[in-house]
Amino acid sequence: MRQKIVAGNWKMNLGYNEGLSIFSEVINMVNDEVTGAQTAIVCCPYTYLHSLAQLVKGHSQISVGAQNCHQEEAGAFTGEISAKMIRSVGAQYVILGHSERRQYFGEKNELLAKKTDVVLGNSLKPIFCIGETMEERENDRFFELIKTQLSEGLFHLTDTQFAQVVVAYEPVWAIGTGKTASAAQAQEIHAFIRQEIAAKYGQETADDTTILYGGSCNTKNAKELFSQADIDGGLIGGASLKSRDFVDIIKAF
Ligand code: PGA
C-alpha cells in the first residue's frame, strides 16, 4: 500500500543526549498533534539506533532507521555495520544510495543493489535514493540517469521484494543548498519514476509504491510538494534536526 511518509535524515549531526531529547519531543508532538495515517521515520547515527528504537516502542506512527549498512551479511569488515545488527536493535528502515554516499564514498548502483538485497533479507525496508546532479540536469541527461539508477539498483528485485521498497527522489543540487526543486519539477520526475516502476512491475505495484521527495524540503514548501499527485512525502535533512520543524513538515499533508 502506498503510504504517506516523512523521514528525517540526521546525517552525522547531533550528540547522543541532544538527539534523544529531540526525538522525545518529536514523539510527544506527533502523539499530540498528528492525526491520520502518516508515518514518521527518524534515520539517526548507528550508535543511537537502539535507544531511539526503545523510545518508540508502542508508538505505531514512528519508526527508526539507519543511514547506511554494509553489503555483506557478516565477516571480517572492520568498522562496518551489518543489516542484521541494525535489525537486531529494533530499526525498521535503512537509507541506501544517498547522494552523499554515492559522492563521497563512491557507492555505485551495483553495490547498492547488493545492499538492497541484504537489507530486504533482514526484514528491513530500504529507502532507496536516486537523483541527478545540476550538470546532469542541465545536459538533459536526468531522465536517462534516473532510469539507470532504478534499473541497476532495484529492478533485479522480485515483485514481493519490491513491494517493501520506499523510493526517494533527491536532486543532488537541492540537497542542503536551500534550493528546492519546484513542485512541478519534482512531480515530473516522480511521475516518471512511477511510470518506470509500472513498466517493470505493473501499474498496481507502481500505484502502491511510496515515492518521497528530498532536497531542502522545509516547513514552507512541504505542503505544495506533498500535494502533488506522485509525491508521497519527504526525506528531510536539515529541517529534521529541529523537532518543531520536523513535526510541522509531517503535518503538511
Ligand atoms: P536537506 O537534505 O533536507 O538538508 O536538503 C536532504 C537529504 O539529504 O536527505
Side-chain angles (χ1 to χ4, degrees):
M1 266 293 284
R2 198 183 319 184
Q3 283 178 283
K4 294 195 179 306
I5 294 178
V6 173
N9 174 12
W10 285 359
K11 309 189 180 182
M12 200 171 74
N13 292 301
L14 302 175
Y16 178 75
N17 290 331
E18 199 183 0
L20 245 62
S21 96
I22 288 173
F23 191 61
S24 303
E25 287 165 16
V26 168
I27 294 174
N28 291 334
M29 288 184 206
V30 167
N31 283 341
D32 292 347
E33 302 170 24
V34 178
T35 50
Q38 49 273 62
T39 301
I41 304 168
V42 170
C43 298
C44 64
Y46 293 132
T47 46
Y48 312 169
L49 279 174
H50 181 254
S51 301
L52 264 57
Q54 291 295 315
L55 285 176
V56 99
K57 274 188 180 164
H59 299 276
S60 58
Q61 278 177 300
I62 312 176
S63 300
V64 173
Q67 300 170 13
N68 179 34
C69 73
H70 195 265
Q71 66 274 18
E72 298 295 337
E73 280 290 345
F77 302 102
T78 302
E80 290 296 322
I81 301 283
S82 72
K84 189 175 184 174
M85 293 168 185
I86 292 166
R87 180 69 207 164
S88 73
V89 292
Q92 290 175 20
Y93 291 85
V94 182
I95 297 175
L96 290 179
H98 189 279
S99 72
E100 287 148 20
R101 301 288 324 167
R102 292 178 187 263
Q103 190 181 341
Y104 305 134
F105 302 93
E107 297 195 1
K108 299 266 187 301
N109 296 328
E110 195 191 5
L111 173 80
L112 295 168
K114 284 191 195 153
K115 291 194 179 197
T116 306
D117 292 341
V118 83
V119 160
L120 290 168
N122 284 281
S123 309
L124 289 159
K125 295 180 191 215
I127 300 174
F128 194 90
C129 303
I130 56 181
E132 81 285 358
T133 62
M134 188 45 107
E135 195 194 344
E136 286 154 348
R137 177 159 279 265
E138 281 169 350
N139 292 341
D140 268 342
R141 277 175 27 218
F142 53 109
F143 286 105
E144 205 46 49
L145 178 97
I146 298 281
K147 195 173 171 157
T148 307
Q149 287 176 333
L150 284 169
S151 64
E152 294 183 358
L154 290 176
F155 285 178
H156 64 291
L157 299 175
T158 65
D159 292 37
T160 323
Q161 287 176 317
F162 189 81
Q164 300 301 309
V165 174
V166 174
V167 177
Y169 168 61
E170 298 205 301
V172 180
W173 48 273
I175 296 175
T177 57
K179 240 192 254 170
T180 323
S182 69
Q185 276 175 328
Q187 166 58 24
E188 181 187 36
I189 300 282
H190 279 237
F192 174 73
I193 293 169
R194 206 176 296 285
Q195 184 188 311
E196 288 299 308
I197 296 169
K200 172 71 185 171
Y201 293 102
Q203 194 59 50
E204 202 178 322
T205 299
D207 288 340
D208 280 349
T209 304
T210 303
I211 309 176
L212 309 181
Y213 168 79
S216 299
C217 184
N218 58 38
T219 52
K220 294 197 178 68
N221 56 33
K223 205 175 188 70
E224 198 193 351
L225 285 161
F226 297 176
S227 67
Q228 303 301 307
D230 290 296
I231 302 182
D232 307 311
L235 180 55
I236 319 296
S240 74
L241 300 173
K242 293 193 186 119
S243 53
R244 182 69 270 163
D245 284 9
F246 185 57
V247 175
D248 282 346
I249 294 171
I250 299 168
K251 288 163 74 181
F253 281 114

